[in-house]
Amino acid sequence: VRAMVGSRDHADARGGMINILTTPRNPGSALKPFTYAEALELGDSPSSLAADVTDGESNHNADGREHGPVRYAVALPSSYNLAALDVARRVGPDRLLRRLRQAGLHTLDRVAEAYGAELTLGSGKVKLVDLAAAYRFLVHGGEVIAAHGIAAVQPAGEPLAARPAPLRTQLFSAQTSFLVMDMLADNLARRAAFGDDLPVDLPGDNAAPVRVVVKTGTSGGFADNVAVLATREY
């Protein structure tokens, strides 16, 4: 962790002493990359089709429309909810939940049936600091390192007890991680849902020298908005 601002004003009596980064909250669509990565591990590809059609329940897309058969390479960066639910049902809630816990999202402590396929839409609560750490798989060959705030200890005088190394987990294969990274770093693929001139777009679109993974998440009732960005460096 390079820097952390847990709230706007720690002394604010109306909630300033709540660290929103370590308080479990619903992440919305920010869990979708793990769903698609799991599908790719099972043999799908960015060109695989997801059915972005209503399931007859209360779930819907942000634009209120269905988009029919849509490639993963468009459905994920455009964050289509109905397509993500279709992929989550293929993967299965049990498999997805195990993978998310492996990624370090240990606040997901209910049984898979309690979350259902809606887990991919953020039906479970996670800590933002853990979510940020879990996103590392996208830009570092599938590896996740648990969030930690000390890079090194330089003892002065008396030696200090050795700190345990942060937990490293190979979450997905390097190939799967690259493909999901490639989908989420595609500025053009987001256009259908989010339009042009996004703050995360670097000059030159996909020819930009630095590729930035971007995923947003919005919880029910707009109670929380999350945006996670990742590069090879951060």
Side-chain angles (χ1 to χ4, degrees):
V1 178
R2 298 291 184 176
M4 179 185 292
V5 180
S7 58
R8 184 177 64 178
D9 180 5
H10 178 75
D12 185 354
R14 294 174 297 177
M17 295 185 184
I18 298 174
N19 187 341
I20 202 66
L21 300 179
T22 58
T23 302
R25 305 288 293 183
N26 293 100
S29 297
L31 297 185
K32 287 177 183 175
F34 302 90
T35 305
Y36 282 84
E38 188 65 33
L40 265 58
E41 291 278 272
L42 294 173
D44 288 354
S45 78
S47 295
S48 296
L49 294 177
D52 192 67
V53 295
T54 182
D55 54 9
E57 300 174 2
S58 59
N59 297 305
H60 56 82
N61 287 319
D63 60 8
R65 298 187 292 118
E66 301 175 18
H67 304 92
V70 58
R71 291 182 297 117
Y72 288 8
V74 173
L76 175 57
S78 291
S79 200
Y80 293 151
N81 289 338
L82 300 176
L85 286 170
D86 181 44
V87 178
R89 292 187 183 104
R90 300 184 201 178
V91 167
D94 285 293
R95 185 186 296 271
L96 177 58
L97 180 58
R98 285 196 301 270
R99 189 74 73 167
L100 291 172
R101 288 172 176 168
Q102 187 183 2
L105 304 180
H106 299 300
T107 53
L108 298 173
D109 55 3
R110 303 169 68 188
V111 297
E113 291 75 15
Y115 300 116
E118 285 77 8
L119 181 58
T120 192
L121 304 183
S123 63
K125 294 184 177 183
V126 303
K127 297 178 182 179
L128 186 56
V129 66
D130 292 338
L131 183 65
Y135 261 67
R136 187 183 191 274
F137 91 87
L138 291 164
V139 290
H140 279 278
E143 184 188 59
V144 170
I145 300 179
H148 57 286
I150 296 177
V153 175
Q154 300 294 335
E158 293 296 322
L160 299 175
R163 293 183 59 85
L167 179 65
R168 292 174 176 262
T169 302
Q170 189 65 36
L171 189 65
F172 293 106
S173 70
Q175 180 183 21
T176 287
S177 302
F178 176 85
L179 291 173
V180 180
M181 178 280 294
D182 190 56
M183 290 189 282
L184 287 173
D186 187 344
N187 293 331
L188 299 179
R190 289 192 291 269
R191 298 284 185 256
F194 297 104
D196 298 332
D197 299 324
L198 294 175
V200 297
D201 290 351
L202 294 181
D205 278 325
N206 288 11
V210 178
R211 304 207 70 191
V212 181
V213 169
V214 180
K215 189 69 194 76
T216 59
T218 305
S219 64
F222 300 95
D224 292 279
N225 270 326
V226 173
V228 186
L229 289 78
T231 69
R232 289 283 298 180
E233 294 75 24
Y234 296 97

